[in-house]
Structures are given as structure tokens and as C-alpha cells.
Amino acid sequence: MIDWPLVSVIIFLPLIGALIILFIKEDELTSINIKWAALLATLGTFILSLILWLQFDYSNPSYQYEEKFRWFDDFNFFYHVGVDGISLFMILLSTFLTPLCILASWNNIKKRVKEYMLSFLFLETVMIGMFTSIDILLFYIFFEAVLIPMYLIIGIWGGNRRIYASFKFFLYTLLGSVLMLIAIIVMYRNTSSMSIEFLQGNYFSYNTQLFLWLAFFASFAVKIPMWPFHTWLPDAHVEAPTAGSVILAGVLLKMGGYGFIRFSLGMLPEATEFFIPLIMTLSIVAIVYTSLVALAQTDIKKLIAYSSVAHMGIVTIGIFLVNQQGLEGAMMQMISHGLVSAALFLCVGVIYDRMHTREIEFYGGLVQRMPLYATVFMIFMLGSVGLPGTSGFIGEFLVIVGAFKFSSYVVIGAAFGIILSAVYMLYLYKRIIFGTITNNKLADILDINTREKIILIPLAISVILLGIFPNLFLDPMRLSLEMIITNYEIANAK
Amino acid sequence: MLNNIYNIFFIPEIFLACSSFICLLFGLFLKKNAFRQTSNLAVFVLLLTILLVYYDSESNFANYKSLFSHSSFINFFKILALLGSIASIIISKDYFLGIKLKNFEIPVLFLFSTLGMMLMIASNNLMSMYLAIELQSLSLYVAAAIKRDSISSAESGVKYFILGALSSGILLYGFSLIYGFTGSINFNEISFYLSKYDNLNLGLIFGLVFVMVGLAFKVSAVPFHMWTPDVYEGAPNSITGFFAIVPKIAAVALIYRFCLVPFENFYLEWSQIILFLSIASMFLGAIAAIAQSNIKRLLAYSSIGHIGYILIALVAANDDGIKAASIYMFSYMIMNVAIFAILLSLKVKNEYLINISDLKGLSKSNPIVSLSISIIMLSMAGIPPFIGFFGKFYVFIAAIEQELYVLSVLGVLASVISAFYYLRIIKIMYFDESISEGIINFQISFQSKIILSLSLFVIICFIFYPSLLINISASLTI
């Protein structure tokens, strides 16, 4: 296959870009160079990550493109990276969204362009690093390092309450992840290994598993986020700049779901079995409650933020069904949500750049002035609702099919949430787009320009592609998911 | 015999003691630039001492066996203390010249204090331990009060002296009890004597507690921390830098050796005390620092918090604990050197920086400096990928190895609280809009720049090659 360290190159290419940018002096004229350098670095990363997909061996359930070096001499910590079916699309999602984020902030970030681009490039490195690490310590380091650039992005370039939001984001997620550090050390103590691959062999006693599970739960439930640990999310989303929200919704929330699949299901199967009722209850509460809350929002970004929590509720249901349909559905829902919510935030960014407000009441009748915008917005809105033919449908459908095997109450809860999601999204769309223009300030608003087309059209295409050819995405991940399910069933059969 | 006499001068402590006197005379007879020249000589002397410690062989120390001990742990901490004092002399030189405090005694005092610390680290006997502590402290009392025309400096010196003398008294009382009940002042003999018994009798427990109180004062662990913020605040910044960087290293090494050598078999007795000190220090350090507006007080509380983590590793009392303590102490020293190198070169309206809020707008006027401060702060908060994270990580490994789950969870919770005030500094530099620009200027001498760059390099790049430090610290024996 490939005899050069492709994964490491993908991880560190953005960082190299960042180092180059560090040496470009920033002033009025050169800030465009900084933007181009950042765009090229992220585009290069995206193209390289496409090679990962093209060369991917569908018949291999475990890690591919592995690289392993001894990192610490005294303990069994390795620099060990690789890609399997579960992480492949998470990596692609990160590398796909970052260049779009750079493009989205091309004109509206005016102060400290250099620091902004540095933060994004560093963020991309740690995101990809996190999804590719096979060593838990490496995973943890990347997992926590994500906080640094995100804290700066929200805090420096955010809205009015940005300081409150950035502190809440940082401390909330840090609190979750430090408990995971303790769990990781306990795991190491029991097995003398930090390899994710090795630890999936179920080595812990039942009681240890319960404590470890809770520690991991604390960190992933905050990250994904599950009700009632979601309160940081609306604040962070609303205050973050558009690109920050895109990465937050598109990739960072997936870290939680990814962690649940890898750690809770993969390593702690018996404890997972024990806690499934808890997860299901929390997820259903999340779906119904946050959908209702979303319905009452007056701020567009906040509405989409709450809808994210609801969609992530479907993801957690899917993951903890632990059957083929459920897991595949959860993965599809994560990919779909990564694209759709990112696109929705970008759409909000488009009108926010023009009008500098996100109040729903301010808008109305945009279809009169912005027909193209209305169209792409509709695609993403329908994707979020889960209309057949869009990406959202596949995920929700598979999760509901899987849930029938588990309990019909869960199905009722999930389906109710999906109906509510249609209610709040269509209602939002109606209020913003349809009708006649009542607000005079909107009279000469311009339709999306070329740059915005370049951002939104690839997203629209991939949302539809995902809806029509789901197998393109499901095939690579199928065997890896099957392996997790088999391990899980063997462990619980004992 | 003659051969032996020459060898004596190559014992690092004796070499340092003689050279310190030479430095004193050297400064006395210099007419011009006495301070600068003496500082340079002091740095040179300390560098030579590091070499001597590095090549020190056990045979040279044989004559002092009952007073001082010799081990890789001791050598590691000696080198750490020497490196710390070299760095703090270099970074404080320009500051002293800036505030026109040109007493050539200052580097000499640092030298004597460093000598005291080396003896403290190596001491193997209650008497030598006490004398070493006093040598170290007396130099520092004078150093704290060196700015004679400043009320706050004098106040901090007196406060430090009175509380320090009180703690020395308690310490000495503890020693006398231990001597009275074991009949020996040698660590190994005490250990041998105690190994015959299953538990300590009441007198020895009292002695142990008194000594612990005295030592807790020296490492400034809660509830014996009260002097730290006041002394840090009152003393001139560069003296504060020295206080923050060096004496902690020696005191930590001493408390480790005192717990693990004479009382190694009575883990249960002393670990309860250390456990309490550790939890209290972590939480008080984290919570009290939140409300500080003075950067020196903030760093004082931050150092109290760090001591809490180091004491976790002591509670763990295993090989991993010793390793963790040495890694943590190394990272602590490097981070403090870096932050003080910056603080001693930052001027706001021609005054050296005191208030945290004066950092406002630094990210605009000095992007590199504010980036460096942010990295140091994140490292102190224990956020990966910086060195501070690995210090904490090894501490928790040691604690969990000993099944101290509750202590570890409390430790990480305190680290989340403390992250708040480290982040606040970043917030002030980056998020707050500056009112007017150009008030802050950053002037750094070439030598401090080298120290700063080196320490930043270690903070950032430790992750790429951790094995160097970790292999050294893994091989340490107490």
C-alpha cells in the first residue's frame, strides 16, 4: 500500500502550516497571505485524507496505516496512530470542514488574523490526532489540547458574552476529561498497556468496569453533550464566531460519540450493559426536552445548538443499542449532523455577516431577495429534519430500526423527537425565509456571493450524496463496527 | 593523607563554601560594578559546583557519612537547586540594576543560601539538617529585607524571620523528642532502632508531628503557608523569583528524605499528616489564588498548590512517587524560571509589573511575550501537551499505583479549579480590550533571553523526547 507515514503527515501538515504562518509578519497587506497559507495547508490535508479513503481496505476490521514508535522509555506508551472504519470518516469530517471554516472567516475576521489561523490549524492537528491515536495517553493529550485553541477562538473572536462562554466551555469540559485521566491511569495499572486495540479484550473486573465507565461517561457525556450536561453548548455556540460554531458542532461533539464507541463499548462491555437504561433515559429526555427548548428560542444559533443536543441524543441511543443497525445509524447520524449542523451554522453566518443579528424576529421573507440562499438553506434544513434522500434520514432510520429490537418505548421517544425536530426546523425556516419582507433593513440584502457558494455547495452535495448512496460510507465502517459488537456480545455472554 | 586533603576541596559543598567567601571578598574589594561582577562570578562558581556534583564520587564524602548522605536522588535535587539558583541570579541581574539595588551581597547571599540547600538535601542527621536549614533560611531572611529603604521589604523580611524562627523552634523541639526516644540523631540509626518496634510510642509521634510542622512551614504547605503570599509580595520581585524557584526544591527533597529514610517503616503515621497537608494545599492554593490581583501573590498561591501535588507523590511513597516528585519538581522549576524571567523584564509605565490587570493589551503590543505567558500558564494548569501535564500525570500514576483513588480524584478536581485563574491571565492578555497601548515595554537582557528561550523550549518540546528526563528520574534512589 503506502510506504510513507501518511497518517502522521496528515496529522502534522496543519501544524507545519501554522509554523510557516508564525513567521509571516501580520499587517494590512500580508494578512491575505496568512489566509492563503492556512487555506492551502488545510486543503492539502483534505486531499491527503482522501487518499486514506481511496486506499482503505474494506475487508480489514482493525487498524490500517499503522505507525508505532516508542515514546516513553519507562512505560508502555507509544506514538501509535492508525485508521479504522470508525475513525476514517471522523478524520475526513475534520479535514473537510476546516478549509471551509477558513473560507467562511475570510472576510469577517478582521482582527488578529494570524492568531486566528494559528488556532484553527492547531485545532485541526489535535482533532485529527485524536481520531487517529491508538494509544490512550496520546488520545488524552489530543483530547485535552483541543480546549486550548477552542478557548481562544471563543474568547477572542466571539460575541458579547464570549468570556463567560469560553470559561464555561473550558472548565466544564476540563472537569469531565480530568476524570478520564484517572480512569486511563487505572486501566494502565491493571493491564500495563495503553493500546486501545489491546484494551478492547475486556480485562477488567466488573466493579472496576463500573467506576471506569462512570469516569469515561463524565468526559464524553459533557463533550457530546448529553442532557443534563449540555448547558455549556448553547453558550459556546452562540458566542463563538461562525467558524468556531462549525467546528464545535461539526467535529468536537463527535469526539464524545467516538469516545463512547471506542471506550465504553469497546473496553467496558459489562458496565455498558449495566448502564444502558440510564443512557436511554437520558437520551430520550434530551431529545424531547431540548427539542421543546429549541422551539422556544429566539436566537437562530441557539435554536440550532439545542437541535444539536437533540440529534446527539439519537446518536447515543444508536450507540448504546449495540446492534448493527443502531451503531451504523449512530455513525451515519454523526457524519450527517457534522455536515448539516456545520452547514446550518454557516448559513446563519451568511445572514449574520450582512445584518449582524441572529434574532429570528428580525428576519422574514428572505426568499424574495435571496432565492439561492433559500434553496441551500432548505437542503440543510431538510437534512436536519431527516427527509428521505438527505443524510439525516439514513441515520435516524437505522437507529429507529435498531431500537425496535431493544424496546418500543425508546422508538416512541426517538420518533417523537424526530417529529419535534421537523416542527422547530420548519417553523424556523418559515419565519426566516417565507412571507414578505416586513423589515425595511432587509430590503437590499444581497444573495450569497461566490465565496459563500464555494463553501455551501460542496456541503449540499455531500448531504445529498450521503442520503442517496449511504453504502459509500457504511461499507468501510461495517467490519470495524461488527468487531466491536462481537466483542461486546462475547463479553456479556460470559 | 595529603591526597585526601586535596580531594576535600573537590567536595561540592566545601568548594561552594570556600568560593562563596572568595566571592564576598571579591565584591568587597571591587570599586566599580561590584554587583555585576560578583553576580557573574557567582554564576561561574555555581556552574563549577554543578560539574563537581555531577562527577562527585562517594569516596570523597566518606568522612562525613554520619552527617551527610549520598545518592542519586540527592544529586539530582542538588543539581536542580543549583540550576535554579543560576537561572534566578541571571534573570534578576537587570532587575536589581533597574531598581538601583546594587549591593554585591545579594549574589553572595544567594550562594550561601544555595550552600545551605545543598546541605539540606544531603543531610543524613538531625543536627546537620537543622544547621543546613538555618544556613539556608538566615540568608533568605536577609535577602527578603535587602531593600532597606522599603517598608514592605523590611516587613516581609521580619515576618519571614519571626515565623521562620518559630518554625525552626518547633522543628528543634521535634528533633529533641526524637533524639530522646531513639537515642540517636543519625537517620539510619533511627531507622534501625525503630525497625525493632511495630508502632511508634507517644513521644516519638509528638516528635514526628513537630518535625512535620516545621518542614511543612519550609515547603509552605497549608495550614503553615501564611508567610508565603506576604513574603512574596513584600520582597523585591527578583528575590521573590529566587524564593519561588529554589528553596522549594531543597525543602521538598528534605521532606521526602525525612519521611522515607528514618521513618520509612511508619508510613501510616506520617502519611496521614502529609495527606492532609496535600489536600489542603491543593485546594487552598487553587481557591485563594482566584481572588488575587497581585501577580506575586497569585504565584505564591500557585506554588502552594503545586506543593500539594508534590505531596501526593510523597503519600504514594513508592518508586513511582520519587520519580513523579523529581519530574514535577523539574517542571515546577522550569515553569517558574520562565515566568519570572518574563516578569522581571516587563515594565508598565516604567514600574515593574505588579497588577495582573496591567497585562491588558499585552497580546497586541508584545505578541510573543503574551504567547509565552499563555504557554507557561497552560503548562502550570496541567493542560497537555506542555511539561506541566506530565508532572501531574506522573504524580497521579504514583498515587493510583498505591490505590489512592480518592486523593487522585481530589487532585484533579483541584487542578480544574486552579485552571480558572491561570486562564484568567490569558483572558486578560487576549480577551480584554486595552485602554491605551504602548504603556507596557519588555526589555530583556541577552542572558535572560537565553534562559527564557531554553526554559520555554523545554516546556514545549518535552513531549517530543520525554525519555531523557524520565530515564534519569526513574533511576533515582532515595
Side-chain angles (χ1 to χ4, degrees):
Chain A
M1 286 204 349
I2 290 176
D3 54 354
W4 45 289
L6 178 59
V7 177
S8 292
V9 171
I10 293 175
I11 296 175
F12 290 107
L13 188 63
L15 205 60
I16 293 166
L19 281 180
I20 293 169
I21 288 176
L22 201 61
F23 292 106
I24 303 178
K25 201 173 179 298
E26 184 187 354
D27 57 43
E28 293 286 310
L29 291 170
T30 56
S31 73
I32 193 81
N33 296 347
I34 294 173
K35 289 172 191 168
W36 273 108
L39 186 64
L40 287 178
T42 49
L43 274 180
T45 318
F46 176 57
I47 291 164
L48 285 175
S49 66
L50 283 179
I51 300 180
L52 276 184
W53 192 8
L54 293 176
Q55 300 267 335
F56 195 77
D57 178 8
Y58 287 22
S59 60
N60 183 355
S62 62
Y63 286 96
Q64 305 175 28
Y65 311 101
E66 270 185 74
E67 290 161 37
K68 191 170 182 178
F69 302 105
R70 189 145 201 116
W71 182 26
F72 280 64
D73 279 350
D74 57 338
F75 288 124
N76 289 323
F77 306 151
F78 293 90
Y79 172 79
H80 190 182
V81 290
V83 179
D84 74 347
I86 301 169
S87 52
L88 175 65
F89 290 107
M90 298 292 151
I91 299 161
L92 280 167
L93 199 59
S94 329
T95 54
F96 179 52
L97 288 177
T98 319
L100 296 182
C101 285
I102 306 266
L103 268 180
S105 11
W106 203 261
N107 290 335
N108 55 14
I109 297 295
K110 293 195 176 62
K111 59 168 188 177
R112 302 193 194 189
V113 179
K114 188 171 169 179
E115 281 100 332
Y116 187 81
M117 296 302 166
L118 285 178
S119 305
F120 264 94
L121 291 172
F122 182 66
L123 185 61
E124 186 176 17
T125 286
V126 290
M127 285 185 314
I128 303 170
M130 201 213 64
F131 288 125
T132 51
S133 20
I134 312 182
D135 186 282
I136 314 186
L137 183 67
L138 196 63
F139 172 87
Y140 179 81
I141 287 174
F142 284 127
F143 190 85
E144 272 218 40
V146 165
L147 299 180
I148 303 170
M150 210 58 219
Y151 170 72
L152 295 176
I153 288 168
I154 298 175
I156 301 179
W157 297 277
N160 293 332
R161 287 170 68 243
R162 60 184 197 276
I163 292 168
Y164 171 77
S166 60
F167 270 83
K168 195 168 175 182
F169 164 77
F170 195 105
L171 295 175
Y172 223 112
T173 37
L174 181 66
L175 183 63
S177 53
V178 288
L179 292 175
M180 179 164 80
L181 177 65
I182 301 287
I184 287 174
I185 298 174
V186 172
M187 279 180 153
Y188 180 77
R189 181 175 177 262
N190 284 349
T191 60
S192 312
S193 171
M194 281 266 179
S195 161
I196 290 180
E197 236 172 347
F198 176 82
L199 288 168
Q200 288 184 339
N202 186 27
Y203 292 99
F204 309 104
S205 70
Y206 187 63
N207 284 332
T208 322
Q209 279 201 23
L210 293 183
F211 284 106
L212 290 176
W213 195 93
L214 282 174
F216 280 112
F217 175 75
S219 97
F220 299 138
V222 168
K223 206 91 193 179
I224 200 166
M226 289 182 81
W227 181 86
F229 308 109
H230 68 283
T231 53
W232 61 271
L233 184 80
D235 287 316
H237 267 318
V238 171
E239 300 307 325
T242 305
S245 304
V246 169
I247 286 291
L248 201 56
V251 186
L252 298 200
L253 302 193
K254 277 59 197 183
M255 289 160 60
Y258 177 80
F260 274 133
I261 297 179
R262 274 258 190 276
F263 292 87
S264 306
L265 255 56
M267 296 175 194
L268 311 165
E270 291 165 61
T272 305
E273 184 78 17
F274 179 79
F275 282 109
I276 279 178
L278 173 76
I279 294 276
M280 291 301 168
T281 319
L282 290 181
S283 305
I284 290 171
V285 172
I287 294 172
V288 177
Y289 168 78
T290 49
S291 299
L292 290 173
V293 173
L295 202 53
Q297 295 306 313
T298 56
D299 181 310
I300 311 175
K301 257 189 164 180
K302 222 168 194 169
L303 191 148
I304 301 171
Y306 277 108
S307 85
S308 289
V309 183
H311 282 136
M312 284 297 137
I314 305 240
V315 171
T316 43
I317 289 182
I319 291 173
F320 285 91
L321 290 172
V322 211
N323 54 34
Q324 190 72 33
Q325 290 83 8
L327 269 174
E328 282 182 3
M331 286 297 294
M332 283 306 275
Q333 177 76 355
M334 281 203 273
I335 300 168
S336 150
H337 177 263
L339 298 170
V340 169
S341 66
L344 285 173
F345 279 118
L346 287 168
C347 286
V348 178
V350 167
I351 49 176
Y352 180 77
D353 285 347
R354 288 165 173 65
M355 291 292 130
H356 297 285
T357 176
R358 290 183 302 256
E359 287 298 309
I360 297 175
E361 281 184 7
F362 182 87
Y363 297 99
L366 284 182
V367 69
Q368 314 288 347
R369 299 284 315 162
M370 312 172 77
L372 204 53
Y373 177 73
T375 318
V376 284
F377 195 173
M378 189 181 67
I379 295 173
F380 299 129
M381 186 268 298
L382 294 176
S384 174
V385 170
L387 190 83
T390 62
S391 59
F393 172 71
I394 311 293
E396 288 172 358
F397 177 73
L398 282 171
V399 170
I400 288 187
V401 169
F404 266 115
K405 292 185 182 170
F406 178 76
S407 146
S408 45
Y409 293 109
V410 175
V411 177
I412 292 170
F416 188 49
I418 292 168
I419 295 167
L420 281 176
S421 88
V423 174
Y424 62 72
M425 286 313 293
L426 291 172
Y427 186 45
L428 170 76
Y429 192 74
K430 177 205 153 248
R431 282 182 288 173
I432 296 181
I433 306 287
F434 291 151
T436 51
I437 292 181
T438 47
N439 192 337
N440 289 334
K441 287 176 188 153
L442 292 173
D444 43 318
I445 190 168
L446 293 173
D447 207 346
I448 51 176
N449 57 29
T450 321
R451 182 178 59 86
E452 286 156 351
K453 278 180 205 159
I454 296 175
I455 301 168
L456 292 172
I457 287 172
L459 279 166
I461 292 173
S462 37
V463 166
I464 293 168
L465 186 73
L466 207 62
I468 297 176
F469 300 111
N471 272 345
L472 208 57
F473 298 85
L474 285 172
D475 284 341
M477 67 177 76
R478 186 160 287 139
L479 284 177
S480 300
L481 292 175
E482 251 168 32
M483 194 171 75
I484 290 213
I485 296 168
T486 323
N487 278 345
Y488 179 86
E489 280 164 357
I490 292 172
N492 277 309
K494 268 191 287 188
Chain B
M1 187 61 207
L2 201 64
N3 198 13
N4 250 345
I5 288 176
Y6 288 126
N7 273 348
I8 281 175
F9 286 101
F10 292 106
I11 295 173
E13 281 82 355
I14 292 186
F15 172 78
L16 185 56
C18 298
S19 321
S20 309
F21 285 113
I22 294 171
C23 271
L24 186 59
L25 291 174
F26 179 73
L28 205 58
F29 286 108
L30 273 183
K31 291 280 187 312
K32 271 163 70 182
N33 277 342
F35 172 75
R36 195 184 283 273
Q37 304 292 357
T38 321
S39 298
N40 290 341
L41 185 65
V43 170
F44 181 68
V45 164
L46 289 170
L47 279 173
L48 281 181
T49 318
I50 289 185
L51 278 181
L52 287 176
V53 173
Y54 188 76
Y55 290 109
D56 188 24
S57 61
E58 203 161 342
S59 60
N60 283 343
F61 232 42
N63 299 331
Y64 306 94
K65 200 72 188 167
S66 66
L67 289 178
F68 299 103
S69 176
H70 186 278
S71 73
S72 48
F73 177 83
I74 291 174
N75 274 1
F76 179 84
F77 272 83
K78 274 184 192 170
I79 290 181
L80 218 54
L82 289 165
L83 283 176
S85 44
I86 291 174
S88 53
I89 290 176
I90 291 177
I91 59 176
S92 56
K93 216 164 29 175
D94 270 22
Y95 176 86
F96 281 124
L97 294 171
I99 60 166
K100 307 227 160 23
L101 194 66
K102 296 181 189 168
N103 309 34
F104 68 90
E105 292 94 338
I106 297 169
V108 179
L109 283 171
F110 284 172
L111 280 184
F112 277 118
S113 157
T114 313
L115 172 65
M117 288 174 222
M118 287 176 69
L119 295 173
M120 255 166 92
I121 297 167
S123 60
N124 196 39
N125 185 303
L126 296 177
M127 195 51 76
S128 61
M129 175 175 157
Y130 179 74
L131 291 175
I133 289 176
E134 284 308 288
L135 174 59
Q136 184 253 166
S137 316
L138 280 171
S139 321
L140 292 185
Y141 301 146
V142 181
I146 194 82
K147 201 175 172 189
R148 272 166 298 191
D149 48 358
S150 146
I151 295 177
S152 66
S153 171
E155 182 197 324
S156 97
V158 171
K159 201 176 266 175
Y160 191 22
F161 173 68
I162 292 174
L163 289 172
L166 181 68
S167 85
S168 294
I170 295 172
L171 195 67
L172 206 52
Y173 189 48
F175 286 166
S176 69
L177 282 169
I178 292 173
Y179 173 66
F181 281 88
T182 60
S184 172
I185 52 171
N186 183 291
F187 281 7
N188 302 96
E189 282 171 25
I190 295 172
S191 169
F192 178 71
Y193 174 83
L194 292 177
S195 65
K196 287 182 255 176
Y197 299 92
D198 289 336
N199 41 8
L200 295 177
N201 64 34
L202 200 58
L204 270 173
I205 286 179
F206 264 91
L208 181 64
V209 171
F210 279 123
V211 176
M212 282 298 164
V213 169
L215 290 179
F217 178 89
K218 299 294 175 202
V219 295
S220 72
V222 178
F224 309 103
H225 66 286
M226 266 74 130
W227 60 277
T228 321
D230 293 341
V231 173
Y232 273 42
E233 189 187 0
N237 290 6
S238 48
I239 305 275
T240 311
F242 189 81
F243 280 157
I245 298 164
V246 206
K248 293 277 159 65
I249 298 171
V252 164
L254 183 63
I255 201 167
Y256 263 74
R257 278 185 47 78
F258 183 79
C259 290
L260 295 177
V261 179
F263 289 92
E264 58 173 331
N265 297 321
F266 294 91
Y267 172 76
L268 282 179
E269 275 77 6
W270 56 259
S271 70
Q272 296 170 28
I273 305 173
I274 301 288
L275 187 74
F276 171 76
L277 293 177
S278 157
I279 295 173
S281 309
M282 286 187 302
F283 277 92
L284 189 117
I287 292 165
I290 291 173
Q292 303 305 323
S293 59
N294 181 318
I295 186 94
K296 287 201 280 178
R297 287 187 84 86
L298 184 133
L299 286 172
Y301 282 110
S302 135
S303 83
I304 293 171
H306 285 302
I307 289 298
Y309 290 98
I310 293 172
L311 294 181
I312 291 185
L314 177 56
V315 180
N318 46 19
D319 287 348
D320 280 342
I322 293 168
K323 181 161 82 176
S326 46
I327 294 170
Y328 201 107
M329 218 54 233
F330 179 79
S331 72
Y332 171 85
M333 185 198 85
I334 290 286
M335 292 184 299
N336 271 295
V337 166
I339 191 73
F340 274 99
I342 292 174
L343 288 183
L344 294 174
S345 324
L346 265 187
K347 272 187 174 175
V348 181
K349 294 179 196 149
N350 290 326
E351 295 277 327
Y352 282 96
L353 180 94
I354 296 290
N355 280 325
I356 300 172
S357 53
D358 288 343
L359 284 170
K360 241 180 224 174
L362 186 70
S363 63
K364 280 260 172 60
S365 53
N366 301 63
I368 303 283
V369 178
S370 54
L371 182 69
S372 313
I373 298 181
S374 317
I375 288 173
I376 300 164
M377 287 302 138
L378 289 169
S379 174
M380 281 191 171
I383 307 291
F386 305 114
I387 192 172
F389 165 72
F390 290 96
K392 289 209 168 74
F393 177 66
Y394 271 91
V395 164
F396 291 126
I397 284 191
I400 284 171
E401 196 64 39
Q402 208 69 17
E403 307 200 331
L404 299 162
Y405 299 119
V406 177
L407 185 59
S408 333
V409 170
L410 287 175
V412 293
L413 291 183
S415 85
V416 174
I417 302 173
S418 66
F420 175 79
Y421 64 80
Y422 294 123
L423 288 181
R424 198 164 68 100
I425 294 180
I426 301 177
K427 175 217 135 194
I428 288 167
M429 290 188 305
Y430 281 94
F431 302 175
D432 289 355
E433 300 294 334
S434 58
I435 307 154
S436 51
E437 282 179 34
I439 330 169
I440 306 180
N441 60 357
F442 182 74
Q443 275 182 326
I444 188 163
S445 68
F446 178 68
Q447 288 171 340
S448 329
K449 206 184 248 173
I450 290 178
I451 298 277
L452 178 59
S453 326
L454 266 180
S455 44
L456 278 171
F457 178 79
V458 174
I459 291 174
I460 299 168
C461 295
F462 177 78
I463 181 170
F464 296 117
Y465 189 59
S467 300
L468 186 65
L469 173 66
I470 283 164
N471 284 346
I472 294 173
S473 49
S475 66
L476 298 182
T477 48
I478 198 107

